[in-house]
Amino acid sequence: MKKLFKLFKHEFKLVLPTTIFFFIAFILIATTQRLILREYHVPLTGYAAALIGALIVGKVVLIVDKLHFINKFPEHPLIYNITWKSTIYFFATLMFRYVEHLISFLRKHDNFIEANQHLWNEIIWPHFWLIQMWLAVLFFLYSTIRELIRVIGKEEILLMFFGMQGHSN
């Protein structure tokens, strides 16, 4: 049981920074939507959707980071790894989001082909691509920050930004 708790704690520490980053970003996007659509009296989901989205993206990033080819260009200029990782994260979330929508249609329809046809016809594509566009920008920013931390070091980044040393556990 102690081993399982230790593993859970380790995984939690890995996913926490990513989840916090995307939670803040998704809150900003949700607030922007609310402010724009308030004028038209369009109801929106609450901020819980931002938390759920951040948890999903955090888990997708954690899974993708386990792939052996994710850190393909460690000796090249940072833009190589930043662009590579951003692209991989983007396509991973694109597939995850598509499958997530497909599953909801599979519950309503008898087979995969029928569910997929309904998905293609009923999904609000501008909204889907708007979220993907924001994810592309956010993944680029996120990957930039992570690559800077990898090259400069966590301790130095904390010192530069917050004037404090990091704690190693």
Side-chain angles (χ1 to χ4, degrees):
M1 187 68 165
K2 195 171 189 173
K3 208 176 205 182
L4 183 63
F5 178 75
K6 197 172 189 175
L7 175 67
F8 178 74
K9 183 179 174 184
H10 175 72
E11 293 290 316
F12 181 77
K13 282 183 178 182
L14 288 176
V15 78
L16 189 62
T18 306
T19 302
I20 290 170
F21 176 87
F22 282 98
F23 179 64
I24 292 168
F26 292 165
I27 288 290
L28 291 172
I29 292 169
T31 301
T32 303
Q33 282 180 319
R34 284 175 174 270
L35 291 173
I36 291 170
L37 294 177
R38 176 186 285 166
E39 182 177 337
Y40 303 102
H41 306 289
V42 175
L44 289 171
T45 58
Y47 292 115
L51 177 59
I52 292 166
L55 288 168
I56 290 168
V57 170
K59 189 61 180 171
V60 168
V61 168
L62 188 63
I63 291 167
V64 169
D65 281 347
K66 303 265 187 212
L67 300 174
H68 66 88
F69 59 83
I70 192 66
N71 199 28
K72 191 169 184 169
F73 306 103
E75 303 304 321
H76 288 78
L78 291 181
I79 194 66
Y80 285 77
N81 249 358
I82 291 167
T83 304
W84 174 252
K85 288 180 178 183
S86 299
T87 303
I88 301 292
Y89 294 146
F90 175 83
F91 282 112
T93 55
L94 177 68
M95 288 187 314
F96 184 88
R97 291 186 67 231
Y98 187 81
V99 168
E100 179 185 34
H101 287 291
L102 185 60
I103 289 170
S104 68
F105 281 91
L106 280 169
R107 291 183 186 137
K108 299 175 191 172
H109 304 285
D110 293 335
N111 61 51
F112 176 82
I113 294 172
E114 187 179 333
N116 200 42
Q117 286 174 337
H118 282 280
L119 170 62
W120 276 91
N121 293 330
E122 295 178 29
I123 194 168
I124 303 168
W125 287 108
H127 184 261
F128 183 89
W129 288 113
L130 177 68
I131 298 299
Q132 281 305 127
M133 177 188 72
W134 269 110
L135 283 172
V137 171
L138 293 169
F139 280 132
F140 190 83
L141 180 60
Y142 174 78
S143 296
T144 301
I145 293 166
R146 294 237 346 242
E147 286 300 300
L148 285 172
I149 290 170
R150 181 182 65 80
V151 171
I152 296 171
K154 180 181 170 185
E155 300 290 325
E156 190 64 26
I157 292 287
L158 287 172
L159 188 61
M160 287 170 36
F161 277 86
F162 303 108
M164 58 189 240
Q165 296 291 327
H167 303 20
S168 57
N169 291 338

